[in-house]
């Protein structure tokens, strides 16, 4: 299916935008995608530690939803003890530039408002 960019103006943006927000939006999914954007496999406990105050239920649900949409790949190793790692799929990697653009817009807007307070991780990237 070919989608013409000029078609999406005004209300016609709503359907694709809603889909994007359903797939990658919410409190935790974008953070999970950003954590996995390094390209390095992450175990569940490492993701949870980096997210801080997420519950096990919410992390498991978010990872499952991202996996169902082919954004995240779950790799299970047949070892004892069992080991599971998560990576972004090729489709998931295509979201990263979008999130970077959103971050650039947010940083500029925050700075314009004199409100540029970034978390410690973001401050270390300046």
């Amino acid at each position: 299916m070919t989608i013409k960019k000029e078609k999406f103006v005004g209300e016609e943006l709503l359907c694709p935008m809603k889909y994007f927000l359903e797939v990658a939006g919410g409190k935790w999914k974008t953070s999970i995608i950003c954590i996995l954007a390094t390209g390095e496999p992450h175990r569940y406990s490492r993701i949870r530690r980096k997210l801080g105050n997420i519950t096990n239920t919410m992390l498991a649900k978010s990872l499952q939803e991202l996996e169902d949409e082919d954004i995240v790949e779950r790799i299970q190793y047949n070892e004892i003890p069992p080991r599971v790692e998560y990576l972004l799929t090729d489709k998931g990697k295509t979201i990263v530039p979008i999130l970077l653009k959103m971050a650039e817009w947010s940083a500029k807007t925050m700075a314009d408002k004199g409100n540029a307070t970034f978390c410690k991780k973001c401050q270390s990237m300046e």
Side-chain angles (χ1 to χ4, degrees):
M1 175 167 99
T2 304
I3 299 174
K4 294 181 179 178
K5 279 188 177 182
E6 60 273 5
K7 177 185 174 194
F8 293 106
V9 292
E11 289 182 20
E12 293 187 9
L13 278 171
L14 290 177
C15 186
M17 191 60 92
K18 284 180 184 178
Y19 174 73
F20 176 81
L21 293 173
E22 204 174 285
V23 171
K27 183 174 181 180
W28 300 109
K29 289 180 186 176
T30 53
S31 297
I32 292 168
I33 293 168
C34 288
I35 289 168
L36 297 176
T38 63
E40 147 186 359
H42 281 62
R43 293 175 115 177
Y44 181 94
S45 58
R46 186 174 179 194
I47 296 169
R48 184 159 193 262
R49 194 171 39 254
K50 286 185 174 189
L51 290 172
N53 60 346
I54 190 170
T55 64
N56 280 323
T57 303
M58 188 51 71
L59 178 55
K61 182 179 185 244
S62 298
L63 285 167
Q64 182 63 56
E65 289 173 0
L66 288 168
E67 187 180 355
D68 290 346
E69 290 292 338
D70 193 35
I71 303 299
V72 169
E73 179 181 6
R74 181 182 188 271
I75 304 165
Q76 185 169 341
Y77 298 91
N78 293 325
E79 301 174 348
I80 297 177
R83 179 171 56 114
V84 175
E85 294 179 334
Y86 296 90
L87 284 166
L88 285 182
T89 62
D90 288 340
K91 181 179 174 182
K93 290 174 187 173
T94 64
I95 294 175
V96 175
I98 297 164
L99 297 178
L100 286 171
K101 282 292 188 192
M102 289 169 57
E104 287 174 20
W105 178 87
S106 296
K108 182 183 179 333
T109 303
M110 290 168 70
D112 289 349
K113 287 183 162 188
N115 227 4
T117 305
F118 297 99
C119 69
K120 290 179 185 176
K121 287 183 182 178
C122 290
Q123 288 173 356
S124 67
M125 291 190 287
E126 291 181 304

